[in-house]
Amino acid sequence: MRWDNLFDDLESQLERELTAEELDLEIEEERLRLGRLSVRDRLVALHEARAGAAYRLVVTLGSGERLSVHPVAFGRDWFSADVAVEGSRTRHCIVPIGVLAGVGLEVSLVPGSLEPARAPDGHPSLSARLGFTFVLRDLCRRRRAVDLVVAGGELHGTLDRVGRDHVDLAVHDRGVPRRTSEVREIRMVPLAAVLLVRL
């Protein structure tokens, strides 16, 4: 009888130790997973968690400017978003993730941003593989007038060329088509200086 109690006690101690060890291992694995998350990973996970539901983030650009945005799509190193301007109007913009100085989340959104992102079949989507320069080259090809927000202010014009690490912007007045007679200057802007592209 006493032996049975002893063995039951030893068995329950062993079971508790194994459970505690498994729990410690799970906690360490989760800590490692969280340590590998990038800003992009968290933004994509939040976007997937909120699928279809409206939400806004407050992003702080490197210049200190804060914008309330609703993310729409994500690329490799950028995301596109709708940003509120005057009243109920919105403008579309492209934000390079690497120049963000911060992202403000409502407390209720934090858990969703920590969830593992879902890849449909283990492969990232096409847009997830497209870099910031690809998007700029597409805007250049379309001859789309843009506002480039840089640390020193805002430039308006049409992208003439997109290099590996810079763009050539034909600076002209807003609402005027890009014509040689209307271009005030060609401004070469390093990509690292571009904080936001407004369309």
Side-chain angles (χ1 to χ4, degrees):
M1 186 80 159
R2 290 186 322 193
W3 290 108
D4 290 341
N5 290 341
L6 176 66
F7 288 130
D8 286 344
D9 186 45
L10 289 174
E11 186 178 314
S12 66
Q13 282 180 9
L14 180 60
E15 190 174 314
R16 276 194 306 270
E17 287 178 18
L18 289 174
T19 303
E21 189 175 307
E22 287 173 6
L23 185 59
D24 287 346
L25 186 59
E26 287 176 15
I27 290 170
E28 184 60 25
E29 285 174 356
E30 180 64 5
R31 197 174 293 133
L32 289 171
R33 184 187 73 79
L34 292 175
R36 288 189 294 266
L37 287 178
S38 67
V39 171
R40 182 194 181 279
D41 294 337
R42 291 194 62 190
L43 292 175
V44 170
L46 175 62
H47 192 67
E48 289 175 353
R50 302 293 297 183
Y55 70 100
R56 297 200 84 63
L57 303 174
V58 177
V59 296
T60 305
L61 304 178
S63 63
E65 182 180 358
R66 292 172 56 94
L67 301 169
S68 176
V69 300
H70 170 69
V72 176
F74 293 86
R76 184 178 68 224
D77 54 356
W78 57 274
F79 68 92
S80 66
D82 291 327
V83 61
V85 283
E86 304 149 5
S88 61
R89 256 187 47 205
T90 60
R91 280 184 77 184
H92 202 66
C93 67
I94 300 165
V95 183
I97 293 172
V99 301
L100 291 176
V103 178
L105 299 173
E106 293 176 16
V107 175
S108 63
L109 297 178
V110 174
S113 76
L114 298 173
E115 291 296 317
R118 301 179 301 266
D121 52 11
H123 301 295
S125 67
L126 176 61
S127 65
R129 296 185 304 227
L130 301 177
F132 186 51
T133 54
F134 181 89
V135 176
L136 294 176
R137 284 187 183 106
D138 184 59
L139 293 171
C140 179
R141 183 179 56 81
R142 295 171 190 260
R143 309 300 288 164
R144 180 81 187 262
V146 298
D147 293 327
L148 289 186
V149 177
V150 295
E154 191 170 301
L155 303 167
H156 178 80
T158 304
L159 295 171
D160 274 355
R161 279 170 284 299
V162 179
R164 182 171 50 126
D165 62 351
H166 69 282
V167 296
D168 282 357
L169 182 73
V171 179
H172 55 79
D173 291 332
R174 191 172 267 105
V176 176
R178 192 240 182 267
R179 291 193 179 105
T180 305
S181 60
E182 299 293 338
V183 173
R184 291 192 303 265
E185 71 173 320
I186 302 294
R187 178 81 62 97
M188 188 167 50
V189 181
L191 290 177
V194 177
L195 303 175
L196 182 79
V197 180
R198 284 193 181 103
L199 308 178

